[in-house]
Amino acid sequence: RKSLKRTWRAQRIGGDDLSLAQLANTSMPDRSRGVLRAPRRMRGAGVTQGKDRRTRADLRLYITGGEQKGRKLASPDVYIRPMMAQVREALFSMLRDLRALDGQTRALDLFSGSGCVGLETLSRGCAEVASVDWSEECVEVMRQNARACGYEDRHTAVMARAEDVLADPARYGLRAPFDLITLTPPYEEIIYADLMDSIVRSPALGENTVVAIEYPVELGVMPSTLADGRLVGFRNRRYGRTVLALYVYRPDGSHDLVPHPHEFL
C-alpha cells in the first residue's frame, strides 16, 4: 500500500499522468504483482457476489432521496455488497454540485445487485437507467424493485458482465454514450486496473460523462487522471473503509464543480 501511494504521488509530482500499465504493475497488499485487487481479508472475502447464498440478516435497503425517499427495496437471497446509504447520499450530493443529474440524464449502473443505486438515480430525477448484473437472481430483484417504484418504463435490467457491457453496449440493446456511469464492484473479485482500462476504452463514455466508482481504502488512492488526461478526477472522498471517486471523461468546462486534485493525494 505504501509503495502504491509513493508511486502515484511521485507520478503526480512529476506532472505526468499515471498510465494504466503502471497502475497494474504496482505492488499491492494482497501480495499479487501485476494486479490491482483488494486484499482477501476484507469482509465478504471467500464468497462470490451474486452467486453464493447470503448468510447475514436482511440488508434493509432503502432509497435515501428523491420522490421515492424512504422506499424499502427487496434484496436478493445471494451475497451482495451494496453501496452504503451514507455513500449514496454523498454521491448524489456530488452529482448535484456538478449539476450532472436532471430530467435528460441517461445512466448506466454496473454491478447493480438489488438495483438500489440506479433506482435512487431515477428517484432523484434521472430520465432513464440501465442496471447491469451477471446474477440472474439480482436481475429479477431489480425488476421487482423497479415495478414497486413504478419505474418499469424508465428502467432496464441487463444480465451480463460489466466488462462485456462496457465493451459493446449496443450488443445488449443499450444506446451509448451515457451521461452517468456508476460502479459498485465486489472489491475482492475484480482487478481495478482492468476495470478502469475497460472504462476508458468504452463507447459508453462520451464528452462530460461522469464516472463514479467505489473502491476500498486498502487500495490506497486512485490516480487523479487516467488515459492521458481524458478521465479527470473531480472528487475522491473516504467514508470509513469505503472511498468514492468521481471522474469526468473529457470535461469541456461546462460542469460547475472544479477538480479537487488534493483529494487524490
Side-chain angles (χ1 to χ4, degrees):
R1 178 174 169 185
K2 290 181 180 178
S3 172
L4 178 67
K5 286 186 175 181
R6 283 197 300 269
T7 300
W8 285 348
R9 188 173 290 117
Q11 192 73 23
R12 282 191 295 274
I13 291 172
D16 297 322
D17 180 50
L18 181 68
S19 71
L20 287 164
Q22 290 168 303
L23 184 63
N25 287 321
T26 304
S27 297
M28 292 302 297
D30 71 344
R31 298 176 301 280
S32 300
R33 187 159 183 81
V35 301
L36 187 61
R37 191 197 299 271
R40 301 293 297 183
R41 66 177 179 273
M42 297 184 62
R43 187 173 70 176
V47 295
T48 302
Q49 178 161 304
K51 297 298 181 182
D52 290 331
R53 296 291 104 184
R54 181 157 47 93
T55 57
R56 51 184 169 161
D58 186 77
L59 294 172
R60 299 178 185 175
L61 299 175
Y62 63 95
I63 292 176
T64 65
E67 63 183 14
Q68 296 289 334
K69 182 177 181 180
R71 162 82 65 178
K72 294 181 180 179
L73 300 174
S75 56
D77 192 27
V78 291
Y79 175 78
I80 60 172
R81 195 202 52 75
M83 184 181 287
M84 296 184 302
Q86 176 194 16
V87 181
R88 271 185 282 137
E89 290 186 277
L91 166 63
F92 290 106
S93 176
M94 293 178 195
L95 294 176
R96 182 180 64 246
D97 291 343
L98 269 174
R99 296 190 180 181
L101 193 61
D102 57 33
Q104 303 299 314
T105 303
R106 298 176 56 254
L108 176 65
D109 181 37
L110 302 172
F111 307 100
S112 297
S114 66
C116 64
V117 174
L119 294 172
E120 181 151 345
T121 304
L122 290 171
S123 175
R124 291 177 181 265
C126 181
E128 58 185 72
V129 170
S131 295
V132 178
D133 202 283
W134 73 306
S135 165
E136 184 176 0
E137 293 191 45
C138 288
V139 170
E140 287 303 315
V141 168
M142 283 182 219
R143 291 175 176 148
Q144 174 186 335
N145 285 330
R147 285 193 297 270
C149 294
Y151 292 152
E152 303 100 310
D153 294 340
R154 297 162 57 197
H155 180 267
T156 301
V158 178
M159 190 174 79
R161 301 188 74 89
E163 296 84 353
D164 294 337
V165 173
L166 286 169
D168 189 2
R171 176 184 172 190
Y172 300 93
L174 303 178
R175 179 168 55 91
F178 291 89
D179 304 299
L180 170 66
I181 299 177
T182 53
L183 303 97
T184 312
Y187 297 157
E188 65 282 349
E189 295 176 36
I190 67 153
I191 298 172
Y192 272 80
D194 291 347
L195 179 60
M196 297 307 293
D197 186 55
S198 296
I199 291 169
V200 298
R201 295 175 183 271
S202 175
L205 276 69
E207 188 174 73
N208 289 319
T209 293
V210 176
V211 178
I213 183 165
E214 194 179 80
Y215 67 96
V217 68
E218 284 83 355
L219 257 63
V221 185
M222 292 283 279
S224 59
T225 61
L226 285 168
D228 298 322
R230 298 194 305 276
L231 195 62
V232 179
F234 272 61
R235 301 303 305 268
N236 188 67
R237 301 302 301 273
R238 177 178 174 178
Y239 306 91
R241 295 180 70 185
T242 296
V243 187
L244 181 65
L246 201 69
Y247 291 88
V248 178
Y249 186 72
R250 291 168 49 207
D252 65 2
S254 60
H255 289 298
D256 289 344
L257 188 67
V258 297
H260 289 60
H262 62 279
E263 293 183 355
F264 293 85
L265 295 175

